[in-house]
Amino acid sequence: MALLSGLYGCSEPVVKPLQRSAQEQAASEVISRVTGRDQPGVIMKYIADNEPDWYQVKTTNTHMTVSGNSTTAMTYGAYEALREQGALSVSWEGNRVAMPTRWQPQQSEVTATPFALRSYLNVCAYGYTTPWWTWQRWEQELDWMALHGVNNPVAMEGQEFVWQQLWSEFGVSDKALASYFSGPAFTPWQRMGNIESHAGPLPQSWINKKHKLQKKILARMEELGMQPVVPAFSGYVPKAFALQHPDAKIYAMPKWTGFEHETYWLDPADPLFNKLAKRFIELYTDSYGKHRYYLSDAFNEMLPPVSQDNRYEDLARYGERIFSSITQVSDDAVWVMQGWMFGADEEFWDLPSIEAFLSNVPDQQAMIHDIGNDRYHVWQRTEGFKGKSWVFGFIHNYGGSDPVYAGLSDYVTQLQTAEQANIQGNMTGFGVFPEGLHNNSVAYEFLFDLPWQTQPDMQKWLQTYTRARYGKTSPTLIAAWKQLIDGVFSTSYWQSRWWEGSAGAYLLFKRPDETLVEFGGHPGNEQALNDALATLIKLAPDYQNSTLFMYDLVDFTKHAVSLRTDSKLQQAVSAYKEGDVEKGDRLTAAVTRDIKQLDALMGLHQESLHSWLTDASNYADTPQEEVVYLQNARQQITIWGGPKLKDYASKAWQGMYAGFYLPRWQMYLRALRTAAVNHIPFDHDATSQQILDWEQDWVNRTRIPPLHVPEQPVEQIMMLLR
């Protein structure tokens, strides 16, 4: 733990009278909501000071007192103490609440964090996870944020309401806007200027619902003392606007990832830029209030239009004018940008280009979210962004895809490297920026502890985690979890997920292709995973009343079986290509059996094709909207759009294993078998077209498959792993 002993010169800070402050009230309400108790025995004591965020916990037999100097410091401190008491675990998979009638007495020292900001969420999560979220679901997520110490969330809901007002004021017709907006599951990429008019329409009721929702979200964030990051104008304009202003300095940008249509970017030097930027923030403020942090990503995976002779001067002007377009409304505003572009387009963004882009922006009014340290280390290449404020962080999850993986020891090492580097610059925050949620909760539990304990004792951490999550722990369980860390939670994910231009967490999830036989294997230690599973199955009778234990057991089984299936698929393809039909048939039968059994088992999880489509359906107000939402939901998790993003958001869900991935592979393997039996060349193009046609038909379906929850999951797991 990071300790600030003796900071206040006394063991018991002086606290305010019994009347609750707003901070105490907000923190107490978080604990009440997640525990389901009005008086859960946790007392909050807010102490105002100018120190870095800190908390201190004192527990007597009858209650727990959590002191702190911010709301999120108190909520995090309470959650950490409750986990240590084995009383509370809060995760996307579910909560375990076991608040005691008598507490274990303890007195902690003051625990502080050097990170003023603890940032959270990725702009893409608003497409991959939240398009169908209601206030009830958002309230749960906000409580989760508070318990994990988040105080700088990326808040992107509700902005189409403002864009609609803006473009209407500037003469874009309702008809043109309707064809400009992309569908609900694709709004993030519309906002970043990557696409327009994709998978629409965007119903007005969706825009209005998100408008009301954002008001509630921002109000709750304010209650919790969070400083959200909200959107600003980055230069992208509708095609209709570009046509209406032929003399404006508007560029047709390169087509993103091979999409059919280009998007249009207004040069900040054009007088229209400042007008649009100012009016957007004014309208946003009218709807949602004034804020400090404004996100403007003009070049997310989009290269800036620069002249060959004046490259650096152009970039410097772009940076300066984007910044000034934000501060013209609010003098103390901070321009937030994702550092992702500097890594994803590293060939363009060399150090002189980055320096030029940031050169005319005040250090304290720029904030770079360096989100991609899973893959890139932009902060090192830029020497801590040359004095600009920045947040060190990880994406961890790409596309909301959900294999079992994390790199726990790597997170620790990387953060320590950044903290100890003499080129770290002005690192003011730590963040986690997942593109999608609802999987691998252990990674986020671990990551959000790091700002408060940068060198965790892994043995103690695992004991606390398993006791809080399952209700009890044991040396045998801890040993199994250490094997899990070796097997799947010490892995690098990107290399296998995006292999030779083909996305998908497993080979099973990638569109079938004979080149997949060349895939060299997934990261991790499969034997360690299998050994851990064997132990967990033996422990299952002792944890039969723990729904989270069973959830995790199914999750680890899913991963093991999916890895095994990938190997069998490669062998089946090779067998048919070599003319060994009998072997190919045997392997195909084994794959079919395993996938169907795994699909049945996955009904135990909280997410499924059924739940995703049901949420989309329930968000609709009319039958016409329901069709739009269901097709959006189906398209995003499968073909996505463009030639390169297929399976990027692949899902290990019930309904997807047996209903989407298996039929694709069956078509492919049948075609290979036919070629082998008849001694004719395999027609790759015809087979690929057949699969493409089938995928499009699948996307257009409106039926929601039922959910089947397994009655005897342990027995089914043992059959799968035999």
Side-chain angles (χ1 to χ4, degrees):
M1 287 249 182
L3 302 177
L4 293 184
S5 345
L7 182 64
Y8 302 96
C10 57
S11 58
E12 284 277 349
V14 177
V15 298
K16 296 197 252 181
L18 291 177
Q19 184 177 3
R20 281 181 175 178
S21 67
Q23 293 85 351
E24 292 163 351
Q25 181 72 23
S28 295
E29 288 175 355
V30 169
I31 302 301
S32 295
R33 281 192 295 269
V34 297
T35 61
R37 297 187 182 187
D38 291 335
Q39 299 293 333
V42 180
I43 300 169
M44 301 293 183
K45 294 295 181 183
Y46 173 67
I47 301 171
D49 61 32
N50 294 318
E51 300 291 339
D53 279 9
W54 62 268
Y55 70 86
Q56 185 177 32
V57 179
K58 180 180 180 181
T59 306
T60 67
N61 287 329
T62 58
H63 63 273
M64 174 185 291
T65 301
V66 183
S67 305
N69 64 345
S70 75
T71 305
T72 52
M74 289 188 290
T75 49
Y76 173 81
Y79 185 48
E80 170 64 2
L82 290 169
R83 283 184 292 173
E84 289 179 350
Q85 296 261 352
L88 182 65
S89 175
V90 177
S91 71
W92 297 313
E93 299 89 2
N95 298 347
R96 178 185 164 272
V97 181
M99 300 295 281
T101 54
R102 292 181 64 82
W103 300 85
Q104 301 170 20
Q106 68 176 33
Q107 169 82 48
S108 73
E109 296 184 70
V110 173
T111 301
T113 175
F115 299 102
L117 299 178
R118 281 88 63 196
S119 304
Y120 176 59
L121 279 177
N122 188 302
V123 291
C124 297
Y126 289 86
Y128 288 129
T129 299
T130 75
W132 327 117
W133 277 16
T134 61
W135 168 243
Q136 180 184 21
R137 180 61 189 86
W138 261 112
E139 186 173 46
Q140 293 172 356
E141 194 67 20
L142 290 161
D143 286 341
W144 185 97
M145 292 184 204
L147 294 175
H148 291 81
V150 172
N151 65 359
N152 184 227
V154 175
M156 294 289 111
E157 296 280 35
Q159 58 182 285
E160 278 66 35
F161 184 84
V162 182
W163 291 119
Q164 198 172 46
Q165 289 178 294
L166 177 74
W167 298 125
S168 179
E169 284 189 11
F170 280 81
V172 180
S173 68
D174 291 344
K175 182 179 179 181
L177 268 184
S179 64
Y180 168 65
F181 286 132
S182 295
F186 299 94
T187 53
W189 301 274
Q190 163 92 50
R191 297 162 182 170
M192 290 186 288
N194 302 127
I195 56 175
E196 67 172 68
S197 308
H198 181 58
L202 186 67
Q204 186 63 46
S205 64
W206 190 90
I207 294 172
N208 294 341
K209 286 178 182 178
K210 292 297 184 178
H211 169 57
K212 294 176 182 177
L213 184 60
Q214 181 75 337
K215 286 188 172 183
K216 290 184 177 181
I217 291 169
L218 292 173
R220 179 59 56 81
M221 287 179 177
E222 183 177 3
E223 286 177 20
L224 295 170
M226 297 176 180
Q227 298 186 73
V229 178
V230 299
F233 179 68
S234 61
Y236 288 94
V237 301
K239 182 177 182 179
F241 180 90
L243 293 174
Q244 289 169 5
H245 297 85
D247 296 329
K249 202 172 184 180
I250 299 175
Y251 306 99
M253 298 293 277
K255 297 172 183 178
W256 181 64
T257 67
F259 264 77
E260 182 180 354
H261 300 295
E262 63 272 345
T263 57
Y264 298 87
W265 187 67
L266 175 64
D267 192 310
D270 193 290
L272 279 170
F273 191 99
N274 264 356
K275 292 179 182 178
L276 289 165
K278 180 180 181 183
R279 190 59 184 143
F280 177 84
I281 295 180
E282 288 174 344
L283 290 168
Y284 195 93
T285 302
D286 289 344
S287 285
Y288 303 122
K290 185 178 179 181
H291 295 277
R292 185 180 181 206
Y293 294 99
Y294 288 91
L295 178 71
S296 177
D297 276 326
F299 308 119
N300 181 69
E301 299 182 0
M302 305 287 281
L303 296 182
V306 293
S307 60
Q308 187 172 355
D309 296 332
N310 298 299
R311 171 191 181 95
Y312 302 125
E313 292 84 350
D314 288 345
L315 290 172
R317 282 196 299 270
Y318 290 159
E320 179 180 19
R321 286 170 175 164
I322 292 171
F323 166 72
S324 63
S325 76
I326 295 171
T327 56
Q328 66 180 324
V329 181
S330 178
D331 290 343
D332 62 348
V334 175
W335 173 22
V336 180
M337 71 190 82
Q338 296 180 98
W340 175 260
M341 63 181 179
F342 301 137
D345 292 310
E346 185 175 358
E347 289 185 6
F348 177 91
W349 289 105
D350 55 16
L351 183 56
S353 296
I354 296 173
E355 289 178 329
F357 187 59
L358 301 175
S359 60
N360 295 329
V361 182
D363 287 353
Q364 297 306 315
Q365 286 187 267
M367 173 68 68
I368 294 99
H369 279 179
D370 190 24
I371 67 177
N373 283 282
D374 319 74
R375 294 184 62 194
Y376 311 116
H377 300 94
V378 179
W379 72 269
Q380 292 177 323
R381 188 161 58 87
T382 61
E383 297 183 356
F385 299 98
K386 295 294 185 178
K388 299 293 183 288
S389 299
W390 65 285
V391 173
F392 175 92
F394 301 97
I395 291 178
H396 173 262
N397 180 280
Y398 293 86
S401 197
D402 50 351
V404 178
Y405 77 100
L408 303 187
S409 61
D410 184 57
Y411 302 150
V412 174
T413 301
Q414 286 208 48
L415 181 56
Q416 289 177 352
T417 298
E419 281 195 297
Q420 296 166 10
N422 57 12
I423 57 167
Q424 69 165 243
N426 188 21
M427 183 174 70
T428 59
F430 174 86
V432 189
F433 304 95
E435 288 187 351
L437 312 180
H438 293 162
N439 54 76
N440 292 295
S441 279
V442 62
Y444 299 86
E445 202 85 346
F446 186 83
L447 280 162
F448 277 116
D449 281 344
L450 292 183
W452 305 87
Q453 38 188 320
T454 55
Q455 298 183 31
D457 178 332
M458 217 45 220
Q459 177 81 12
K460 181 183 177 184
W461 192 90
L462 282 173
Q463 289 172 342
T464 298
Y465 178 77
T466 53
R467 183 184 175 208
R469 187 167 174 85
Y470 304 142
K472 59 183 178 180
T473 191
S474 70
T476 305
L477 180 63
I478 297 300
W481 260 94
K482 287 181 176 179
Q483 289 175 319
L484 289 170
I485 290 174
D486 186 34
V488 291
F489 294 124
S490 297
T491 63
S492 173
Y493 173 46
W494 180 259
Q495 189 174 6
S496 61
R497 165 179 164 65
W498 190 277
W499 182 78
E500 297 296 325
S502 183
Y506 307 106
L507 296 189
L508 173 65
F509 293 3
K510 300 179 192 291
R511 185 180 289 162
D513 189 285
E514 58 189 319
T515 61
L516 295 179
V517 297
E518 300 168 11
F519 176 69
H522 294 279
N525 184 331
E526 197 168 348
Q527 185 59 54
L529 169 62
N530 291 333
D531 290 345
L533 272 169
T535 301
L536 293 174
I537 290 170
K538 290 179 182 178
L539 289 172
D542 295 334
Y543 290 86
Q544 59 185 336
N545 295 323
S546 171
T547 57
L548 291 174
F549 180 91
M550 294 309 303
Y551 188 102
D552 291 346
L553 181 56
V554 168
D555 211 28
F556 303 141
T557 300
K558 165 200 81 178
H559 191 63
V561 173
S562 297
L563 295 181
R564 187 177 68 186
T565 298
D566 281 358
S567 177
K568 290 179 180 178
L569 284 172
Q570 287 181 299
Q571 294 175 54
V573 170
S574 295
Y576 285 132
K577 286 180 70 65
E578 293 166 4
D580 191 341
V581 175
E582 182 181 351
K583 181 179 180 182
D585 288 351
R586 187 170 63 252
L587 287 161
T588 298
V591 165
T592 301
R593 180 193 65 239
D594 287 353
I595 293 176
K596 287 182 176 180
Q597 290 180 355
L598 181 57
D599 191 85
L601 179 65
M602 292 304 296
L604 193 73
H605 274 196
Q606 97 279 18
E607 274 202 306
S608 62
L609 182 60
H610 171 86
S611 68
W612 174 245
L613 296 180
T614 298
D615 288 346
S617 174
N618 289 342
Y619 216 77
D621 291 341
T622 67
Q624 293 78 16
E625 286 182 8
E626 183 183 25
V627 171
V628 172
Y629 294 166
L630 288 173
Q631 290 182 348
N632 250 243
R634 284 177 174 268
Q635 180 168 340
Q636 190 218 72
I637 61 176
T638 54
I639 63 176
W640 212 109
K644 299 180 180 178
L645 292 175
K646 61 186 185 302
D647 303 310
Y648 184 86
S650 60
K651 298 294 189 292
W653 289 346
Q654 184 180 85
M656 292 300 291
Y657 272 102
F660 186 78
Y661 303 123
L662 178 59
R664 284 200 309 190
W665 273 100
Q666 286 176 325
M667 279 187 278
Y668 194 80
L669 292 171
R670 276 197 302 269
L672 281 173
R673 184 183 192 279
T674 298
V677 169
N678 295 306
H679 304 289
I680 58 176
F682 172 61
D683 192 337
H684 177 272
D685 292 343
T687 304
S688 295
Q689 188 59 52
Q690 180 189 12
I691 291 173
L692 287 170
D693 293 342
W694 180 87
E695 287 175 345
Q696 189 61 59
D697 175 73
W698 189 92
V699 167
N700 291 334
R701 298 175 191 174
T702 56
R703 176 179 174 270
I704 300 175
L707 177 69
H708 299 288
V709 180
E711 295 181 0
Q712 297 180 312
V714 176
E715 287 78 0
Q716 289 177 243
I717 288 169
M718 293 173 69
M719 286 180 60
L720 263 170
L721 297 177
R722 66 186 185 282

